Amino acid sequence: MLLGVNIDHVATLRNARGGFEPDPIAAAKICIENGADSITAHLREDRRHIKDNDINALSKISQIRLNLEMAVTDEMQKIALNIKPHSVCLVPEKRQEVTTEGGLDVAGQINKMTEFVAALLDAGIYVSLFIDPTEEQVRAAAKTGAQFIELHTGQYSNAFGSNKEEEEFLKLNEASRLAHALGLKVNAGHGLNYQNVRRMHQIGDLNELNIGHSIIARSIETGLADAVGQMKKLITR
Ligand code: PXP
């Protein structure tokens, strides 16, 4: 399984002070140097974390395989066609949400999605659709021409350790099996952490996991000792 790291939270922290640090581009380089296979960044309509300049900079670094997460809008399509990331992951977007809440309703808008996907494929960009693990959405995704789906693991992650875990896990497993049978490659992500990620091995043939929050949170815990130590040294005579 490949690992894609979502660096949106680095940009959120940077934007809290409106300055330049922490730098999402530097963070992306560290991720790649330490085993990440790709970098995901979500350019939201309201630009609340990742900004246009970040996407431009990331797209110019040849060592970084960029997965641009974006809504199904004309504005975002134009940006994707202009910067040509390796792949895009199409997600639903609501202004008020804290993070992406559910999967895309592909089944309810197959014609629109097929047209949108086709323009991206024509430009040589791989396309992934972020969907809930249901038969209806997987079958619809397979009709759009997209090569990938990303299964929304949020419900499974929330249910992990509860009596709903098995039910949610089975949904992912069955959706993945069906998707493979229909010729799709399968990614997964949302809410995965250092505990619940282990069961992803039990799902056959997942291509890539996209993980953000838990990795950035862990990096603060593991990196804080060094950061404090360096500052202490500077102010101690
Ligand atoms: N995949 C998609 C499509 C997402 O929207 C997100 C959250 O931005 C992730 C993966 C990563 O989720 P998390 O930050 O919970 O690991």
Side-chain angles (χ1 to χ4, degrees), residues 122-174:
D122 282 350
I125 302 167
Y126 289 97
V127 181
S128 177
L129 305 179
F130 184 56
I131 57 171
D132 290 327
T134 68
E135 180 178 346
E136 185 191 27
Q137 295 300 341
V138 172
R139 288 194 184 280
K143 289 181 186 154
T144 64
Q147 302 101 329
F148 292 83
I149 56 168
E150 179 170 329
L151 290 174
H152 192 324
T153 51
Q155 301 285 18
Y156 157 76
S157 299
N158 289 339
F160 187 74
S162 78
N163 57 10
K164 287 258 185 220
E165 175 184 330
E166 205 52 34
E167 186 186 323
E168 294 300 335
F169 177 78
L170 287 176
K171 284 184 198 166
L172 291 171
N173 208 11
E174 280 166 26

Side-chain angles (χ1 to χ4, degrees), residues 6 8-9 69 89 91 99-100 130 150 189-191 210-213:
N6 182 317
D8 296 350
H9 288 304
E69 202 181 310
C89 179
V91 298
T99 180
T100 314
F130 184 56
E150 179 170 329
H190 210 286
N210 287 317
I211 306 179
H213 187 87

Side-chain angles (χ1 to χ4, degrees), residues 4 21 40 53 80 83 112 127 135 160 163 167 187 234-235:
E21 60 176 17
T40 293
N53 283 347
I83 64 151
K112 177 184 170 188
V127 181
E135 180 178 346
F160 187 74
N163 57 10
E167 186 186 323
N187 300 331
L234 285 173
I235 67 172

Side-chain angles (χ1 to χ4, degrees), residues 76-133:
M76 287 301 150
Q77 190 182 57
K78 225 190 230 174
I79 291 171
L81 293 176
N82 186 30
I83 64 151
K84 292 202 174 61
H86 180 267
S87 58
V88 301
C89 179
L90 301 178
V91 298
E93 204 173 289
K94 292 189 213 128
R95 268 197 180 234
Q96 284 78 22
E97 68 190 357
V98 175
T99 180
T100 314
E101 283 169 357
L104 261 180
D105 178 19
V106 183
Q109 45 177 346
I110 287 202
N111 291 343
K112 177 184 170 188
M113 289 301 305
T114 305
E115 222 175 273
F116 196 91
V117 167
L120 297 165
L121 294 176
D122 282 350
I125 302 167
Y126 289 97
V127 181
S128 177
L129 305 179
F130 184 56
I131 57 171
D132 290 327

